[in-house]
Amino acid sequence: MPRPKSDSRDKIVDSARKLLRRQGYHATGLAQVIEDSGAPRGSLYFLFPGGKEELAVAGVRECIGEWVELIGQARAVSATPEDWISLMCKGFAEQLRDSDFTEGCPITTVVLDSVPTSEPLTEACRDAYSAWLGALAEGLVSYGIAQERADELAMLMLVSLEGAMVLCRAFQSTEPMERVIPQVLALIEHRR
C-alpha cells in the first residue's frame, strides 16, 4: 500500500519563499526554515540534498508561477490597461501593507545578495523575470499594443513596479506605488 504524500516539501518551500522575500538568501538559514515550516529537520535534507542553494532555487521557481498567475488574473477582470495596471499595483500595495512592509518583490532580495555568485540562483531569478516580462507583454498585446512596444513597456513596467516596491519598504508606505501608477499609465498611453 502506498504511503500518503507528505506536505513537508510544500511547507519547507513556502517558508523558504517567505523568508527569502523578507531577508534575502544570506540572512535565511536552514534552521530558521525548519522552525518556521514546522517540518521535520530530516525532511529538509532528504528533499533538498543540495542544501540551502537547492531550496532557494525551489523557492524562487515557486514565485514564478504565482506572479504570472496574479498578472493573468488581474488581466482577466480588467477591461482596459489602466484598470489592469491599477489593479496589479493595488494588489502589490496590499501585500506590502499586509506584511507590515517586510515583503516586497519575491526575487529582489535574492538577486541583490546572491546573484551572480550562485549560477543556479542566477538562472532561477533570470527565469522569473523573463516569465513576468512575458506575462506583462502578453497583457499589453491583448490590449492592442504592438508586440515590440509591449516588450519595451513590459520592461519599463517591471522595473517601475519592482522599484516602487523597494521604495515602499524603505518608506513604510504605499505612496511610491501609488505615485508610479499614473506615470506607467501615461507612458503606455504615449506608446500606443
Side-chain angles (χ1 to χ4, degrees), residues 149-162:
R149 288 186 190 257
D151 291 339
E152 293 170 0
L153 288 170
M155 180 69 74
L156 180 62
M157 286 172 64
L158 182 58
V159 169
S160 298
L161 294 171
E162 188 171 16

Side-chain angles (χ1 to χ4, degrees), residues 13 15 43 102 158 167 178 184:
V13 172
S15 289
S43 294
T102 60
L158 182 58
L167 291 176
E178 294 158 8
V184 171

